[in-house]
Amino acid sequence: MSIKQIFLQQTDNFINELCTIFPKNSEILIFREKYNFIRSANSKLIIEYFVKFIYPFKEQIMTQADSFFLDGGGQEEIKDNSGLKFRDSLKNLWIDEMSSENKEIVWKYFKIFIILCEKYSKETA
């Protein structure tokens, strides 16, 4: 299995887990539909967006700085290119609805995304 496939599997798991935890959150449900559309049209875009727009925040992610979700750096680029506002949705959940346990799970996923982005970049260099 390629790094890209592993990355996509992890993003699928993450989004599905959020949908399970927050089944009535329309932003997450709509995001999942948009994500699935982009994934089916050009799945490579998903990991490339992470590498380009999320990976630069590696330090914030690895140190679990809440500002990563609250300030939303890089969000504008993702929104302009794909119509996805995932970090905006996470920001709202982060502030209003997520338990400490759920935040830890989110951090673990994002750390995995960072590691996979690094491996993907090496693989495609």
Side-chain angles (χ1 to χ4, degrees):
M1 186 178 290
S2 73
I3 297 298
K4 183 185 99 171
Q5 290 170 318
I6 295 168
F7 186 91
L8 293 171
Q9 184 178 39
Q10 289 300 313
T11 53
D12 291 348
N13 292 344
F14 178 61
I15 293 166
N16 289 331
E17 191 163 345
L18 285 176
C19 288
T20 300
I21 295 169
F22 304 105
K24 295 182 182 183
N25 185 297
S26 61
E27 289 181 9
I28 297 296
L29 298 174
I30 290 168
F31 175 83
R32 180 172 61 181
E33 294 305 314
K34 289 179 179 181
Y35 166 83
N36 285 335
F37 175 76
I38 291 171
R39 191 183 194 291
S40 67
N42 186 355
S43 61
K44 187 177 177 183
L45 285 177
I46 294 168
I47 193 166
E48 288 178 352
Y49 282 145
F50 267 82
V51 169
K52 187 173 181 180
F53 301 121
I54 303 299
Y55 185 78
F57 297 93
K58 174 185 176 180
E59 187 65 29
Q60 284 179 288
I61 292 167
M62 299 313 268
T63 61
Q64 297 186 194
D66 287 347
S67 59
F68 172 71
F69 293 110
L70 302 178
D71 297 342
Q75 173 65 36
E76 304 77 21
E77 298 295 335
I78 294 172
K79 190 184 324 180
D80 290 345
N81 287 315
S82 69
L84 300 179
K85 297 190 285 185
F86 190 50
R87 288 181 67 194
D88 285 349
S89 299
L90 281 178
K91 175 182 177 178
N92 297 336
L93 289 173
W94 199 264
I95 293 169
D96 298 328
E97 298 182 48
M98 270 196 205
S99 67
S100 296
E101 181 180 288
N102 288 336
K103 288 179 181 180
E104 281 300 315
I105 292 168
V106 170
W107 283 124
K108 286 179 183 177
Y109 270 107
F110 272 82
K111 287 177 182 180
I112 289 168
F113 297 148
I114 290 297
I115 291 165
L116 291 172
C117 283
E118 288 176 340
K119 289 183 180 210
Y120 176 79
S121 294
K122 288 178 185 174
E123 184 181 88
T124 58

